[in-house]
Amino acid sequence: SPQAAVDARWADAEVIYKNFNALWTGKGYIADGNWAYVQGKRMERRRMLSELSDVKIPFGKKLSNILHISTNFLSDLFFGYGESMTKMILTYILTVFFFAWAFTENVSLLEYSQAFGISLKNMVGMDSDILQDVSPLVDMLNVIQTTIGILLTGIFGFILGNKIRNQ
């Protein structure tokens, strides 16, 4: 039926892109395979979004889909599914600037240039003498930023390794 075909379009597109990924990667067309992988993940998100309005799908599955849609979207936005070096570097830089702003707003002694230096140090797990004996909020910001920085550095290494391996 035409309606069934329209309803299944995202799932069909997902399968097609994932098959293209396997085919092109297997033949050595790595860039094309990576492009098909990203498109397949985006179609997966579209499929899950369309399933949210389907009355035949149980409520528990819909909740699970919401979690998967969120992680899928964030992975695309921040890392390009591990395929975009530009998105990864931009995420890293925005994280540094965001936490520098947060330190400037919460520690009245800091200028933005000092906060930027502290933020850069936090991204690689270095401690700063300037932020000794400050509020618990700033201590928590330090911990959160260091954790995010270490995770982003690991993801950056993963993406860089994939880029080098696929050249």
Side-chain angles (χ1 to χ4, degrees):
S1 87
Q3 187 58 41
V6 169
D7 292 343
R9 69 186 181 274
W10 303 118
D12 292 344
E14 177 186 357
V15 170
I16 290 168
Y17 280 120
K18 288 182 178 181
N19 286 334
F20 278 150
N21 175 26
L23 174 71
W24 288 334
T25 302
K27 290 192 177 279
Y29 301 118
I30 303 300
D32 295 330
N34 291 344
W35 175 83
Y37 170 76
V38 169
Q39 296 305 316
K41 294 299 282 181
R42 288 179 178 160
M43 292 304 118
E44 177 183 16
R45 183 173 66 226
R46 297 292 299 262
R47 175 188 51 81
M48 289 186 290
L49 280 168
S50 70
E51 288 176 355
L52 291 178
S53 63
D54 190 352
V55 294
K56 294 179 265 185
I57 295 184
F59 183 72
K61 173 92 167 130
K62 288 182 181 183
L63 284 178
S64 174
N65 276 357
I66 290 172
L67 176 65
H68 287 101
I69 290 166
S70 301
T71 57
N72 184 306
F73 175 75
L74 292 175
S75 178
D76 186 16
L77 179 68
F78 293 133
F79 314 116
Y81 299 110
E83 297 295 333
S84 175
M85 188 67 77
T86 305
K87 285 184 178 183
M88 177 65 234
I89 292 170
L90 188 61
T91 298
Y92 199 90
I93 291 168
L94 289 175
T95 303
V96 170
F97 281 118
F98 172 76
F99 277 96
W101 170 80
F103 290 136
T104 304
E105 292 296 315
N106 290 300
V107 180
S108 60
L109 305 173
L110 292 178
E111 294 178 10
Y112 191 80
S113 60
Q114 290 175 312
F116 184 77
I118 291 168
S119 183
L120 279 174
K121 286 182 178 181
N122 280 345
M123 290 298 279
V124 293
M126 293 176 60
D127 197 19
S128 180
D129 295 333
I130 298 174
L131 292 181
Q132 299 297 325
D133 301 322
V134 291
S135 72
L137 173 66
V138 175
D139 281 340
M140 184 55 85
L141 286 175
N142 280 333
V143 170
I144 290 170
Q145 186 182 14
T146 300
T147 303
I148 290 171
I150 291 170
L151 289 172
L152 288 177
T153 302
I155 294 169
F156 178 76
F158 168 77
I159 294 172
L160 185 61
N162 274 344
K163 294 290 182 192
I164 292 170
R165 180 176 54 91
N166 291 332
Q167 294 299 322

